[in-house]
Amino acid sequence: METRIIKLEEFAGEARDRLTRIETRLDHMATKEDVSKLEATLLRWFIGTAVSLTALAFTAAKLIH
């Protein structure tokens, strides 16, 4: 019985170390909120760029014609 307890205590120590490493890695990962903010920012940039390029193309076409 005592050997089982010793093995369980060793496993608990190893599990604690592994959990600490996992938590350390998770600190550097993006959250859903971070991804959502990035998506909104990129969408605004893409729409703004598309509108600007369209306006530039129409202006150039008007000046050339």
Side-chain angles (χ1 to χ4, degrees):
M1 180 75 163
E2 203 153 308
T3 57
R4 291 179 69 190
I5 293 174
I6 291 171
K7 286 183 181 182
L8 284 172
E9 288 175 346
E10 289 174 1
F11 175 76
E14 291 172 9
R16 187 178 318 113
D17 293 340
R18 290 175 67 190
L19 181 60
T20 302
R21 280 186 263 139
I22 291 170
E23 287 176 342
T24 302
R25 284 186 197 165
L26 288 177
D27 287 341
H28 303 293
M29 298 295 247
T31 62
K32 286 182 182 181
E33 182 181 351
D34 294 337
V35 173
S36 178
K37 286 180 182 178
L38 179 63
E39 181 182 11
T41 302
L42 286 175
L43 186 60
R44 278 190 228 123
W45 271 98
F46 289 153
I47 291 173
T49 303
V51 168
S52 299
L53 288 175
T54 303
L56 181 64
F58 278 108
T59 303
K62 191 174 185 180
L63 289 174
I64 291 173
H65 185 29

